[in-house]
Amino acid sequence: MKVFSVKELTRYIKSLIEKDVLLANVWVKGEISNFKAAVSGHFYFTLKDDFSCLKVVMFRSRSRLVPFRPENGMAVTVRGYVSVFERDGIYQLYAEEIEPDGTGALFLAFEQLKERLQQEGLFDPKHKKPLPLLPRRIGIVTSPQGAAIRDMLEIIRRRWNGREIILVPVQVQGEAAPPAVARGIQLLNRLGGVDLIIVGRGGGSIEELWAFNTEIVARSIFSSKIPVISAVGHETDFTISDFVADARAATPSAAAEMAVPDKREMERYIQTLRTRLARALEKRLGDDRRRLRACLESRVFVRPADVLCGARQQLLDFLYRRLSQAVRGIVEREEGRLAVLAGRLQALSPLATLARGYSICTTPDGKRVINDSGSVEAGERLSVRLHRGQLSCIVEERI
């Protein structure tokens, strides 16, 4: 009886599994759990169903080709081969492809990136830059071959010849396309003097347009200081670039029409503005002439002396009214003061005392008032003033 070491038995089982043709290229369907993306770029996760679990490893050389981000709970179909990991003595699936179960991988990747960039605000209209009315220098990031660039150049020259075109030739599909497109946009921003950028390509399948659904291209468009028009595919094709760009054109030809106005239409528009301006000036001059004529025919210009005299008379009348009002006010105030003083004087007047039955006794000449009986002698003549009239008296006796 042969006795195996653990290592020998594990290797024997591994060799049996690796010789099985079915297990060398197998598709397995299940739900992802315990997903981990290592720093090295490898994917580690468990594929499970209601009854079993299967360890899965996907090395970086394969994981970098997966267009979407695997997540826990996602139903997927995985293609790979089964082998044994000798150190732990467990069999596992070495994945080479992953596809979402029921949804296309590229469509899922598109939706995942679109949602993430939208949450970051890259699609927000407040970040959209206005397109220049008439760009002098236009940068185009696209393939130098194909109908797209020829159509754009022809349309731009036809609409307004003399525009300077800078073509940045790049790959527009394949693995090298996304970084090449991003570098082209960055190059035009560093170059300076470029007023507008058109980035895109002609129509194709979703795989052929995929470079414009990548994060590196989306962020290079968002970071551009120059306005960007996204022109990818046909009218029904929408890419991440369309949402990030400052403007989206349905086709490359439409982008050329959007970038440059038609010179003939612009000339007609300018002629219309010139005609409207001339009419407006003519109307303004006519109005001003009528106003000037009305001024010249007015009284102030025809008989200025009358106007000046009338104004002077109005001023004099106004001042006279003000002076009369002021004089009346002063007279009324002084009359009031006089009445008060007269009242006081009346109260102090000796006549008022005489009216109450008193009299004033003086010498006949009125120079001395007699207010003491000892100051006169018997037989002396005195004058007595009453309220009405006077009496001439002789003193008979002092009492």
Side-chain angles (χ1 to χ4, degrees), residues 110-111 113-115 117-118 121-128 212-213 218 221-222 228-232 236-249:
F110 173 84
E111 291 296 329
L113 181 59
K114 178 182 175 183
E115 181 179 358
L117 296 183
Q118 187 171 18
L122 270 68
F123 304 163
D124 197 319
K126 69 181 181 182
H127 298 305
K128 306 296 184 184
F212 301 93
N213 282 322
I221 292 174
F222 183 77
V228 177
I229 298 177
S230 175
V232 182
T236 56
D237 296 322
F238 277 88
T239 63
I240 297 296
S241 299
D242 295 333
F243 297 111
V244 183
D246 300 294
R248 184 245 177 192

Side-chain angles (χ1 to χ4, degrees), residues 148-163:
I149 183 61
R150 291 196 298 270
D151 291 344
M152 285 191 283
L153 292 176
E154 180 183 351
I155 291 172
I156 291 174
R157 287 173 184 145
R158 185 180 72 245
R159 290 174 69 84
W160 202 306
N161 196 15
R163 302 301 95 191

Side-chain angles (χ1 to χ4, degrees), residues 151-194:
D151 291 344
M152 285 191 283
L153 292 176
E154 180 183 351
I155 291 172
I156 291 174
R157 287 173 184 145
R158 185 180 72 245
R159 290 174 69 84
W160 202 306
N161 196 15
R163 302 301 95 191
E164 184 178 352
I165 306 298
I166 300 177
L167 174 62
V168 181
V170 296
Q171 295 184 38
V172 291
Q173 68 183 67
E175 210 172 308
V181 173
R183 285 195 299 270
I185 296 171
Q186 294 164 4
L187 174 63
L188 289 173
N189 274 268
R190 292 195 300 270
L191 184 62
V194 178

Side-chain angles (χ1 to χ4, degrees), residues 46-196:
T46 301
L47 201 60
K48 67 177 183 177
D49 57 19
D50 294 338
F51 303 99
S52 301
C53 296
L54 174 64
K55 296 285 187 181
V56 183
V57 177
M58 188 175 221
F59 295 123
R60 181 181 179 278
S61 59
R62 293 291 183 176
S63 66
R64 65 185 181 86
L65 302 177
V66 177
F68 64 95
R69 177 74 172 181
E71 297 175 351
N72 290 327
M74 184 181 292
V76 294
T77 303
V78 182
R79 185 186 69 80
Y81 62 91
V82 179
S83 185
V84 175
F85 183 40
E86 292 186 26
R87 191 195 69 183
D88 295 342
I90 60 173
Y91 79 95
Q92 54 189 16
L93 179 66
Y94 291 83
E96 296 184 339
E97 291 183 50
I98 303 178
E99 292 185 358
D101 188 19
T103 305
L106 294 181
F107 177 77
L108 179 59
F110 173 84
E111 291 296 329
Q112 285 181 335
L113 181 59
K114 178 182 175 183
E115 181 179 358
R116 180 155 57 85
L117 296 183
Q118 187 171 18
Q119 290 177 352
E120 291 184 29
L122 270 68
F123 304 163
D124 197 319
K126 69 181 181 182
H127 298 305
K128 306 296 184 184
K129 296 177 285 295
L131 303 184
L133 177 61
L134 184 60
R136 292 171 297 178
R137 181 181 289 181
I138 302 171
I140 302 178
V141 181
T142 190
S143 171
Q145 293 85 29
I149 183 61
R150 291 196 298 270
D151 291 344
M152 285 191 283
L153 292 176
E154 180 183 351
I155 291 172
I156 291 174
R157 287 173 184 145
R158 185 180 72 245
R159 290 174 69 84
W160 202 306
N161 196 15
R163 302 301 95 191
E164 184 178 352
I165 306 298
I166 300 177
L167 174 62
V168 181
V170 296
Q171 295 184 38
V172 291
Q173 68 183 67
E175 210 172 308
V181 173
R183 285 195 299 270
I185 296 171
Q186 294 164 4
L187 174 63
L188 289 173
N189 274 268
R190 292 195 300 270
L191 184 62
V194 178
D195 302 313
L196 182 66

Side-chain angles (χ1 to χ4, degrees), residues 14 48 117 126 131 150 189 262 266 275 288 302 348:
K14 179 179 180 181
K48 67 177 183 177
L117 296 183
K126 69 181 181 182
L131 303 184
R150 291 196 298 270
N189 274 268
D262 190 307
M266 185 65 72
T275 302
D288 289 345
V302 175
L348 299 175

Side-chain angles (χ1 to χ4, degrees), residues 174-394:
E175 210 172 308
V181 173
R183 285 195 299 270
I185 296 171
Q186 294 164 4
L187 174 63
L188 289 173
N189 274 268
R190 292 195 300 270
L191 184 62
V194 178
D195 302 313
L196 182 66
I197 295 175
I198 300 175
V199 58
R201 54 156 293 160
S205 65
I206 187 171
E207 290 82 7
E208 292 171 332
L209 304 180
W210 192 251
F212 301 93
N213 282 322
T214 57
E215 184 171 358
I216 186 173
V217 172
R219 293 197 180 278
S220 65
I221 292 174
F222 183 77
S223 301
S224 174
K225 303 300 182 183
I226 305 168
V228 177
I229 298 177
S230 175
V232 182
H234 299 301
E235 187 170 354
T236 56
D237 296 322
F238 277 88
T239 63
I240 297 296
S241 299
D242 295 333
F243 297 111
V244 183
D246 300 294
R248 184 245 177 192
T251 63
S253 298
E257 294 178 354
M258 186 183 298
V260 179
D262 190 307
K263 186 176 184 179
R264 289 167 296 182
E265 292 182 0
M266 185 65 72
E267 288 174 347
R268 286 194 293 269
Y269 177 65
I270 292 173
Q271 183 58 42
T272 302
L273 292 180
R274 185 180 291 117
T275 302
R276 290 172 59 186
L277 179 60
R279 289 175 181 172
L281 288 174
E282 185 178 350
K283 183 179 182 301
R284 179 65 180 270
L285 288 174
D287 293 341
D288 289 345
R289 287 193 189 98
R290 284 189 291 273
R291 290 179 59 193
L292 178 60
R293 192 178 303 113
C295 291
L296 293 174
E297 294 173 355
S298 64
R299 185 166 170 249
V300 69
F301 279 97
V302 175
R303 302 180 64 183
D306 292 349
V307 175
L308 293 175
C309 291
R312 184 167 56 187
Q313 186 60 47
Q314 289 178 355
L315 178 61
L316 290 174
D317 292 342
F318 172 74
L319 294 176
Y320 176 76
R321 287 193 299 272
R322 292 290 303 274
L323 180 60
S324 298
Q325 292 173 357
V327 170
R328 282 197 301 270
I330 294 172
V331 170
E332 290 174 357
R333 286 195 301 272
E334 294 302 320
E335 286 178 348
R337 290 181 58 196
L338 182 60
V340 172
L341 294 175
R344 293 178 180 175
L345 184 59
Q346 181 66 26
L348 299 175
S349 174
L351 297 177
T353 305
L354 295 176
R356 293 197 299 271
Y358 295 92
S359 61
I360 300 175
C361 184
T362 64
T363 58
D365 55 6
K367 291 182 179 181
R368 182 165 63 91
V369 177
I370 305 304
N371 54 17
D372 184 2
S373 61
S375 63
V376 297
E377 298 294 336
E380 187 175 348
R381 184 174 294 276
L382 297 176
S383 177
V384 179
R385 183 180 178 85
L386 304 176
H387 178 57
R388 289 187 178 88
Q390 288 183 328
L391 298 177
S392 178
C393 306
I394 296 175

